[in-house]
Amino acid sequence: MTHVLLILHVLAAILAIGPVTVAASMFPPAARRALSGADGVGTVRLLHRICRVYSGMGVAVPVLGIATAAAMGVLGSGWLIASLVLTAAAAGVLIAFVLPRQDELLEQVGSGRAVERAHTVQLAMTTGVFNLLWATVTVLMIVRPGSTTGV
């Protein structure tokens, strides 16, 4: 059962978190270019929709991760606790900063107003923090410092 949970956890991370990190990173430059191209607004809407839908699906990642850790008997491990804290921080950044800023910029683009570069730069930096948090979680999941599993 542990192997099945681990496979589902990794697949959920790849299929849910991967698209969010890519689409969120593509959003700021797409918002800057939206008014210059014929389909720019559609691209920005699509990227925002990807972020919203896949972030909802991303809830499966920590749920399956906790189930996997419980099956492996490593719930109290430091690397796992750190990963959970960083996952919560990444989710907080996404919910509190990235998605609301995307909403604002999408509204500006949708109404035909020019998007200020400073706003997209701020979103890009916040998205970078989100991506860095996920990259750190990924490293912790692979390296597992102090792990008792021998890996």
Side-chain angles (χ1 to χ4, degrees):
M1 184 62 167
T2 302
H3 289 0
V4 172
L5 287 170
L6 183 58
I7 289 167
L8 292 174
H9 171 63
V10 171
L11 283 173
I14 292 168
L15 298 175
I17 305 303
V20 174
T21 59
V22 172
S25 296
M26 293 173 65
F27 188 95
R32 281 193 295 270
R33 292 188 311 264
L35 298 178
S36 64
D39 194 35
V41 176
T43 299
V44 174
R45 280 194 182 105
L46 176 63
L47 291 172
H48 181 59
R49 183 169 172 79
I50 290 169
C51 289
R52 283 242 178 244
V53 170
Y54 282 83
S55 64
M57 292 170 34
V59 172
V61 176
V63 169
L64 289 166
I66 291 169
T68 304
M72 292 173 67
V74 295
L75 278 175
S77 297
W79 59 270
L80 182 72
I81 294 167
S83 294
L84 288 171
V85 168
L86 292 172
T87 297
V93 168
L94 183 67
I95 291 166
F97 301 107
V98 174
L99 294 175
R101 176 56 79 180
Q102 284 184 354
D103 284 333
E104 293 170 10
L105 293 175
L106 185 57
E107 184 180 318
Q108 287 178 1
V109 168
S111 66
R113 291 182 284 156
V115 174
E116 290 185 37
R117 182 171 174 78
H119 292 162
T120 59
V121 168
Q122 182 184 31
L123 175 59
M125 289 189 308
T126 306
T127 300
V129 169
F130 169 76
N131 291 342
L132 183 60
L133 287 166
W134 273 114
T136 305
V137 169
T138 302
V139 169
L140 284 172
M141 290 290 108
I142 294 167
V143 175
R144 299 181 297 182
S147 170
T148 58
T149 61
V151 178

